[in-house]
Amino acid sequence: KKKKKEIMGRRPSRCYRYQKNKPYIKSRYCRGVPDSKIRIYDVGAKSAAVDLFPFVCHMVCDEKQQVSSEALEAARVAINKHLTKTIGKEAYHIRMRAHPFHILRANKMLSCAGADRLSSGMRHSYGKPIGTAARVSIGQVLISVRAKDANAAHVVEALRRGKFKFAGRQKILKSTKWGFTKFTREEYVLRRKNGELSADGNIVKVNNYRGRLEDSPLF
């Protein structure tokens, strides 16, 4: 009777939490990488006008570590679910800011009777790709959510629930900026009034005053 071969199960993410090795990305030399679990990086009313959602809140990583694509997807689902339930799916825009480009490897071992005869142990132990992770540093933004000021408490609560999907420590910070722009609220309002900024979908454009005079908002 033949002995059945058993391949070891997927390792828990604690084995890959720290940044020990160099970045190892998908390339023509490293093929056969399984697809990342997270495929959607913008959720909710992603095309909502920049003026509609002034409030923005960030989840910021407080450790230098690796975050698996499974954890990122789990956090996205948890945040999305809470916000859909509380404020409705057209009242927010979630943006995932960490992208899992780093490839995780595992040296597959056999765990059956007589495996010591079949397996090569630590010979040729360079592992095969088993998943992906994002390499994040201290102070790096993992997730950003923009919404109306009235829904600020719900956004903070949603991000707090998303924190449970990650290892380590994260901080939730309310931003002083207007939405996903680089301008503070006061500066944004002032420059929009002056015609220096113009809304362009979910971002804002700085008018450079080139071109014909009659096309200028200051004309």
Side-chain angles (χ1 to χ4, degrees), residues 75-143:
R76 184 189 70 82
V77 169
I79 294 167
N80 191 35
K81 200 169 197 175
H82 182 75
L83 289 176
T84 307
K85 211 160 50 178
T86 51
I87 62 177
K89 63 177 186 219
E90 289 302 310
Y92 63 90
H93 175 193
I94 302 167
R95 180 168 283 171
M96 306 299 293
R97 304 275 297 272
H99 289 244
F101 291 123
H102 180 73
I103 294 164
L104 306 174
R105 302 188 302 262
N107 176 27
K108 295 243 167 68
M109 300 288 234
L110 298 172
S111 60
C112 59
D116 50 343
R117 288 185 219 171
L118 300 166
S119 68
S120 53
M122 288 303 284
R123 286 182 194 173
H124 304 299
S125 58
Y126 196 84
K128 293 271 189 296
I130 58 156
T132 55
R135 291 164 69 90
V136 294
S137 50
I138 296 169
Q140 186 174 332
V141 179
L142 296 174
I143 303 165

Side-chain angles (χ1 to χ4, degrees), residues 85-199:
K85 211 160 50 178
T86 51
I87 62 177
K89 63 177 186 219
E90 289 302 310
Y92 63 90
H93 175 193
I94 302 167
R95 180 168 283 171
M96 306 299 293
R97 304 275 297 272
H99 289 244
F101 291 123
H102 180 73
I103 294 164
L104 306 174
R105 302 188 302 262
N107 176 27
K108 295 243 167 68
M109 300 288 234
L110 298 172
S111 60
C112 59
D116 50 343
R117 288 185 219 171
L118 300 166
S119 68
S120 53
M122 288 303 284
R123 286 182 194 173
H124 304 299
S125 58
Y126 196 84
K128 293 271 189 296
I130 58 156
T132 55
R135 291 164 69 90
V136 294
S137 50
I138 296 169
Q140 186 174 332
V141 179
L142 296 174
I143 303 165
S144 298
V145 183
R146 67 185 180 120
K148 290 181 177 173
D149 286 322
N151 298 325
H154 294 299
V155 171
V156 171
E157 172 59 18
L159 285 173
R160 190 191 69 82
R161 290 177 182 218
K163 277 200 329 182
F164 295 123
K165 307 297 174 188
F166 297 122
R169 181 187 292 182
Q170 293 79 33
K171 287 179 177 164
I172 295 167
L173 303 178
K174 289 181 184 177
S175 178
T176 56
K177 304 281 194 287
W178 182 289
F180 290 159
T181 67
K182 62 181 179 181
F183 305 104
T184 60
R185 287 182 171 226
E186 296 78 25
E187 192 186 357
Y188 180 85
V189 171
L190 189 68
R191 293 180 77 170
R192 280 283 273 145
K193 231 176 243 176
N194 295 346
E196 291 177 42
L197 300 175
S198 57

